[in-house]
Amino acid sequence: MQAEKNALHNNKTWTLVPRQATINIISSKWVFKIKTRSDGSIERYKARLVARGFSQQPGLDYDETFSPVIKPSTIQLILTIGLSQGWSVKQLM
């Protein structure tokens, strides 16, 4: 658990702020998992801190949601157009 907390802190994933009465607090919980090797022996124990987002209320905690997802057919179309036009294709991360 301490390793997970250190990782969250080092990656600046969250900051501790004072509680305000007008703000809905989203709770969290620890999820534990035992990772095993192919022979069934224990490799390591994992702990993850997860937010319980189901407690959020639209209009109060958030206004809109956005997930940057692209359909595989869109990628295929762009690559096909690029190939037919002789464009060079580069990947950005």
Side-chain angles (χ1 to χ4, degrees):
M1 287 173 61
Q2 189 61 44
E4 176 71 2
K5 284 172 53 176
N6 290 341
L8 291 171
H9 181 70
N10 292 338
N11 292 328
K12 298 181 180 167
T13 304
W14 55 272
T15 40
L16 189 60
V17 296
R19 183 177 183 155
Q20 298 176 10
T22 58
I23 305 244
N24 183 27
I25 302 298
I26 298 171
S27 61
S28 60
K29 73 174 187 173
W30 285 100
V31 176
F32 301 100
K33 185 167 186 165
I34 299 174
K35 300 295 270 187
T36 57
R37 295 185 181 93
S38 58
D39 64 359
S41 63
I42 295 173
E43 180 180 348
R44 64 187 166 120
Y45 297 95
K46 289 184 72 172
R48 293 287 179 249
L49 183 64
V50 296
R52 300 172 68 180
F54 59 82
S55 65
Q56 290 180 301
Q57 300 171 9
L60 178 63
D61 298 318
Y62 64 93
D63 294 321
E64 59 184 68
T65 59
F66 176 74
S67 179
V69 178
I70 188 167
K71 293 181 181 178
S73 59
T74 304
I75 295 172
Q76 184 178 12
L77 175 66
I78 296 298
L79 291 175
T80 302
I81 292 170
L83 179 65
S84 68
Q85 297 296 316
W87 298 341
S88 63
V89 178
K90 297 182 181 181
Q91 177 179 348
L92 300 174
M93 297 192 78

